[in-house]
Amino acid sequence: MKVAILGLGEAGSLYAEAYAQAGHTVSGYDPRDVEVAPGVKKAETQAEAVRDADLVMGLTTARPALQAARDAAEHLRPGAVYLDLNAASPQLKEEIAEAIGAAGRVVDGAVIGSVRKYGAQVHVLLSGPHAGEAAELLGAIGAHAEPIGGEVGDASKRKLLRSVFMKGLGALITESMEAGEAVGQADWVRQQIAEAITDGEQALDRLWSGTSLHAARRGAELQASLDLLTAHRGEWPMIRGAQATHLRLARESASANQAADAAGDLSLADALRQIPTSALGDAGDRLGFVRAAVKPVWKSAPVAGRAFPVHTRPGDNLGIHEAIRQAAPGDVIVVDGGGHTERALIGELMAERAQRKGIAGMIIDGSVRDADELEALGFPVWAAGVSPAGPYKHGPYRLGEAISLGGAVCAPGDYVVADSDGVLVVPALRAESLVMGGRAVIQDERNRQEAIRAGA
């Protein structure tokens, strides 16, 4: 039997080695420069790897999986089984089946369990009309293959539901260990976790190290879980929190690997600041923008930071005085002033106090004054207007509660990003995913711009 492995990462390499050791012909393809096990031929092209194969295993990761299927379709031999084992949404698995069409027998595979622990014998769920055939082919290496029948996508659906728990557990262990390290009690926390879970420290180490090692892929997998649950009622805060932890680890890992790059060693606020609000908005369904009337008072650099919300009576700034006293360095004070533009809520003196406190900037759905002086100070301010009329200082006001900032809901701890185009509120649990999505939007726009300039 000839087996083609598309993608020679951790799982792909293990499957390739297992089939080679079992005496089968194995051809692997990966565009990266990766080493292969003895008995595995590294093909120069995907077409070469796939040609004449009885079993093709897609292990490219989810993003290139559809294109890999399209590229493979015209080279499959009649009757070949195309087993996609990428962690992906049921919708993507259906698209892969459509791309292969009648050229092969598509099976949806979902790895259930740790490849690091069980290797090529890890439990795999198989769905689709040809799941039984794929199970027989996996049986050649003693894999624990479970055909569940149904449609292509059913196996992945079950995996994504399991991921809600498993990836959440990995994120919880990671945060618990970080908390232990922060207060000098890492060994004690480790002991408590190990005593509470099956397999003790082995399971802890597997979940903890695996979470960091595969953070980007698992963060994307949790996004697929959220997509699966979109049609069902619920905010799913635990899933979003687990995803945020995975994406933070992925970003920190990327920063460590690119320390010499301008994007290296960034905080989340720094990462958001480097992405235009337009790209972040495109990555977040174009929701969360503050009304267009709230504009930069002067042409400052972009600002991003944790929001410190203030809800004040229109024309009264007593609450802003208190916010300056309470806000932490790096915070952005955001003010729901009711859109009232006849009285300024801050001026030069308050701005200088805020600047000396380390506050990153202010977003005010209301007016300000001393516009030239704000520019001379270099203190970033976005506002709905400029007025020379001073404010009242009687209250009432509320601090640290969710507000409507120019029509956008802004809660304590959310991020706010402002640039020359305007202001965007980024919910805290979605900030990491918007960084990833915003960067992808920028790259896509660059690719299209290059195509335009090339005359394509």
Side-chain angles (χ1 to χ4, degrees), residues 35 53 63 102 128 157 197 201 207 228 246 291 295 299 304 310 318 324 342 357 364 397-398 412 426 430 449 452 456:
E35 295 184 4
R63 181 172 294 180
K157 189 179 297 182
I197 58 179
E201 293 202 3
L207 288 164
L228 176 67
H246 282 81
R291 67 190 182 103
K295 291 290 187 184
K299 192 173 177 59
V310 180
L318 184 62
I324 292 173
E342 299 308 311
K357 182 74 180 295
I364 299 176
Y397 63 85
R398 293 177 181 170
V426 178
R430 299 184 183 182
Q449 186 177 59
I452 291 169

Side-chain angles (χ1 to χ4, degrees), residues 107-121:
V107 177
D108 171 25
V111 177
I112 305 295
S114 171
V115 173
R116 297 178 70 188
K117 181 176 180 180
Y118 298 106
Q121 284 70 49

